[in-house]
Amino acid sequence: MKIVIIGGVAGGASAAAKARRLSESAEIILFERGGEISFANCGLPYHIGGDIPDRAALLIQTPEKMHDRFNIDVRVQTEVTNITPEQKTVTALDYRTGQSYEESFDRLILSPGAAPFVPSIEGIDNPATMTLRNMADMDRILTTLDSANTRRAAVIGGGFIGLEMAEALTHRNLSVSLIELAPQVMAPVDVEMAEPVHTTLRQQGVDLKLNTGVNRFDHHEHGVTLTLTDGSHLDVDLVILAIGVRPETSLATTAGLKTGKTGGIAVNRRMETSEKDIYAVGDAIEINEWVFGKPALIPLAGPANRQGRIAAINALGGDAEYRGSQGTAVCKVFDLTIASTGLNEKVLQQSGTAYKKVYIHANNHAGYYPGACKINFKLLFSPEGKVLGAQASGLNGVDKRIDVIAMAIQAGMSVYDLEEAELTYAPPYGSAKDVVNYAGFAAVNVLNKSVEQVYSENLTEVLTETDSILLDVRSPDELIESGTIPGSTNIPLDNLRQQLHKLPKDKTIIVYCAVGLRGYLACRILSQKGYSCSNLAGGYAMWRQSHSLRTLRQTERKAA
């Protein structure tokens, strides 16, 4: 059996290693057009920023070690330029010698990855505008940063790489502008959940420009001048393009392999392409997202590793299937962590899917243990209670909670199961009722109609169209410290039973507290006393985030 693998890193290198573990007799050839076959591309921004000081630490596996340990014929700096499925051959070009030659195969595994998206904008092709895909790109950026003249940088795109590069460049004491065409960074989360990231970026001195694009690049001896869509100009010494990636499919399509609706290489659950004995894995393929099974591009290292293993198993006669990707992801933005899994509200709305949501603001561990900090948590679920997705941000413990929800989604669990989830507890690590449990409690309360919810984005409309009053059940000190929603009546929760006579029974009472828990308790009192009431989901904290977004958008519209 002769297995040829095109491309290394997560998908290709994993496939090669798995194939060897399954068969000592197979001939395995790995082609890689770059100089490294397996490196931590997710770690590139952290070496640039100085968090990972040793460049060699990014090399997960070298060609030499891959050969010595796994007896794999590794051919770096060699690009496969053509595939002939009928003859089962590939044409390879060795950059070091300039020679081109053919290599046969019994099974072929494609792992070409995805390339940074570079839009067609006037002047974008200049030496000061760079992308970050591999270690050569990283070295090029570092060379520019080591110049004494590099003091100002613009990062274009607010995805994972864009956010990580904004932090890395800030750590290197550059003046950084982050430019994002959308109204938010971090597209996998919903806009209100991205707001803490916006706040963190601005607090760290990053000049965040949302709803803003670039119309033109003008390169000159002193750097680059960006002409932005709002008519302003920005002078910088370095530009990092982090707009997103596109699957590398040219080799596959030239060979006649089919692509899917999203533009990625079409594969089945066995990672088989439309051509017999040819498999594809990683960022270049179209997969099915987990919840509804719809086609998607999810370029993440974890899925690529699993796909590489599955392709190797099947190439050697096995029968393994890939179950789909949830898009579980996490990002560090200075001291803040933001993470998500499953579907977000934007996708659910676009697909016309019925859903419900709750917000939880709870401590990462017991409040009486030093260092407790809030986790902002959003849970999305179906009207029947099936868990659809979750998003969270905070200083600590965010990844743990999203990982729990990721497993819940894979297991087909419901919000009723989250209520009963038994998670680790000790004061330094969690609470007897974890954030995940609280999310389950709140969701079940919605489903069994223990409480009606009103959302911050709809509050003005609800107040206008219904005969309602706002009831703030926080303490007077909280109001002085953080403010209140205009037009609210304040009755602290602990005094509510004694002051019910102040509330009219012919109006709907919309209750809120800081984060929603006391509002729920107040609603339970009011509803049992004959009042019609709703709880403001996420409380004043979510209203303030929503209000900040509305104010910002109004300001931007006036400026435009």
Side-chain angles (χ1 to χ4, degrees), residues 53-97:
D54 184 7
R55 182 185 187 278
L58 298 174
L59 297 172
I60 298 172
Q61 191 68 269
T62 66
E64 296 76 20
K65 288 182 180 178
M66 196 76 167
H67 177 270
D68 294 343
R69 178 164 294 180
F70 296 102
N71 189 28
I72 292 171
D73 182 359
V74 179
R75 304 180 188 180
V76 295
Q77 296 182 14
T78 303
E79 181 175 7
V80 173
T81 57
N82 189 57
I83 302 169
T84 308
E86 299 81 5
Q87 281 75 46
K88 287 194 170 183
T89 61
V90 300
T91 303
L93 172 62
D94 188 331
Y95 288 137
R96 293 165 296 186
T97 64

Side-chain angles (χ1 to χ4, degrees), residues 328-331 337-340 375 377 392-406:
T328 306
V330 64
C331 187
T337 299
I338 184 161
S340 64
I375 291 177
F377 191 92
S393 67
L395 300 180
N396 288 299
V398 169
D399 53 336
K400 169 183 173 180
R401 275 71 187 196
I402 291 298
D403 284 343
V404 170
I405 301 299

Side-chain angles (χ1 to χ4, degrees), residues 130-367:
M130 307 180 188
T131 59
L132 180 61
R133 182 190 185 191
N134 52 40
M135 294 187 72
D137 293 339
M138 178 187 72
D139 293 338
R140 193 177 305 112
I141 292 170
L142 285 170
T143 298
T144 301
L145 291 173
D146 288 339
S147 168
N149 296 324
T150 306
R151 299 186 179 91
R152 302 158 300 172
V155 178
I156 302 177
F160 294 99
I161 295 297
L163 292 171
E164 291 163 358
M165 282 304 299
E167 178 179 350
L169 296 173
T170 300
H171 285 334
R172 292 184 65 105
N173 297 319
L174 270 70
S175 174
V176 179
S177 295
L178 177 58
I179 302 167
E180 170 57 56
L181 188 60
Q184 67 169 94
V185 301
M186 193 72 175
V189 306
D190 293 310
V191 64
E192 79 278 15
M193 297 301 291
E195 188 60 18
V197 184
H198 301 161
T199 300
T200 297
L201 289 166
R202 292 179 176 120
Q203 288 174 342
Q204 294 292 333
V206 175
D207 175 26
L208 178 60
K209 298 179 181 294
L210 299 173
N211 296 299
T212 304
V214 182
N215 280 338
R216 177 174 172 171
F217 295 76
D218 288 294
H219 182 255
H220 44 79
E221 61 177 334
H222 300 297
V224 183
T225 298
L226 308 182
T227 300
L228 305 182
T229 53
D230 61 5
S232 65
H233 296 84
L234 184 65
D235 293 316
V236 296
D237 306 305
L238 170 67
V239 179
I240 303 295
L241 290 179
I243 300 172
V245 296
R246 297 292 184 272
E248 290 243 24
T249 60
S250 57
L251 184 63
T253 54
T254 300
L257 274 64
K258 293 181 179 178
T259 56
K261 295 179 180 179
T262 62
I265 301 171
V267 296
N268 60 19
R269 288 182 176 272
R270 290 171 47 83
M271 313 315 298
E272 295 168 324
T273 69
S274 57
E275 290 289 341
K276 181 177 172 55
D277 296 329
I278 299 180
Y279 303 78
V281 303
D283 297 354
I285 68 170
E286 175 182 277
I287 53 85
N288 293 323
E289 63 82 15
W290 182 273
V291 179
F292 294 134
K294 294 183 178 180
L297 296 172
I298 302 181
L300 295 170
N305 269 283
R306 294 192 294 278
Q307 293 156 11
R309 290 167 55 87
I310 290 168
I313 291 169
N314 293 329
L316 285 161
D319 187 19
E321 290 191 347
Y322 186 66
R323 296 186 292 177
S325 294
Q326 295 165 235
T328 306
V330 64
C331 187
K332 173 183 176 294
V333 186
F334 296 95
D335 294 332
L336 186 75
T337 299
I338 184 161
S340 64
T341 189
L343 302 179
N344 59 37
E345 193 170 355
K346 293 173 290 191
V347 171
L348 290 168
Q349 289 176 347
Q350 290 166 3
S351 65
T353 302
Y355 69 92
K356 295 182 181 295
K357 62 181 177 179
V358 292
Y359 297 97
I360 301 297
H361 303 272
N363 286 333
N364 65 315
H365 60 61

Side-chain angles (χ1 to χ4, degrees), residues 439-506:
F441 299 152
V444 170
N445 287 337
V446 170
L447 292 179
N448 65 21
K449 300 190 183 302
S450 294
V451 65
E452 295 291 333
Q453 289 195 126
V454 171
Y455 299 108
S456 294
E457 63 266 30
N458 302 325
L459 181 59
T460 301
E461 180 182 347
V462 171
L463 290 171
T464 301
E465 296 181 355
T466 63
D467 195 10
S468 307
I469 63 172
L470 275 172
L471 176 63
D472 187 336
V473 296
R474 295 176 297 159
S475 70
D477 288 343
E478 290 178 271
L479 273 63
I480 294 171
E481 181 178 345
S482 58
T484 187
I485 301 176
S488 299
T489 297
N490 177 230
I491 302 177
L493 175 62
D494 294 342
N495 301 333
L496 182 58
R497 291 180 179 88
Q498 293 75 36
Q499 299 189 38
L500 286 175
H501 62 276
K502 294 182 178 180
L503 299 174
K505 282 196 172 182
D506 60 345

